[in-house]
Amino acid sequence: MSAPTGRPLAEGRWLWRRLYVFSNSAMAWLVLDRLIAASPAAAGPDLARDLMALLALLGVLYLVAPTAQQLLSGLAGLRGRGRSRP
């Protein structure tokens, strides 16, 4: 396998994105545990479903969302493309 060309994205080297998702996931599970303990038995499945949907959304955003640096470079590309027209 060859080495990647160009400069690697700085954000990819940082753990902030992973720490953010991990801490939000842990907090969501803690909230789920507290809500189920404090709510009547009939409300438990609805609360669990809603919080699991939130965890799924966080997972999807973590996997497919572009980094801030990628968004800025894409916007710069769009700006440059608009100026090149006659």
Side-chain angles (χ1 to χ4, degrees):
M1 181 173 280
S2 63
T5 59
R7 280 183 16 197
L9 295 175
E11 193 170 275
R13 292 181 294 203
W14 296 342
L15 293 177
W16 299 116
R17 190 175 185 180
R18 287 182 180 91
L19 289 174
Y20 174 76
V21 171
F22 177 78
S23 63
N24 278 324
S25 297
M27 297 239 305
W29 282 111
L30 182 63
V31 167
L32 174 64
D33 181 52
R34 300 287 191 244
L35 282 175
I36 289 176
S39 66
D46 291 334
L47 293 171
R49 185 189 66 240
D50 293 342
L51 282 170
M52 285 190 270
L54 176 62
L55 287 174
L57 176 65
L58 283 173
V60 168
L61 288 176
Y62 173 73
L63 292 173
V64 300
T67 63
Q69 194 169 10
Q70 289 169 332
L71 286 172
L72 289 176
S73 66
L75 288 174
L78 288 174
R79 253 188 234 153
R81 195 176 350 165
R83 289 182 187 159
S84 64
R85 291 183 182 173

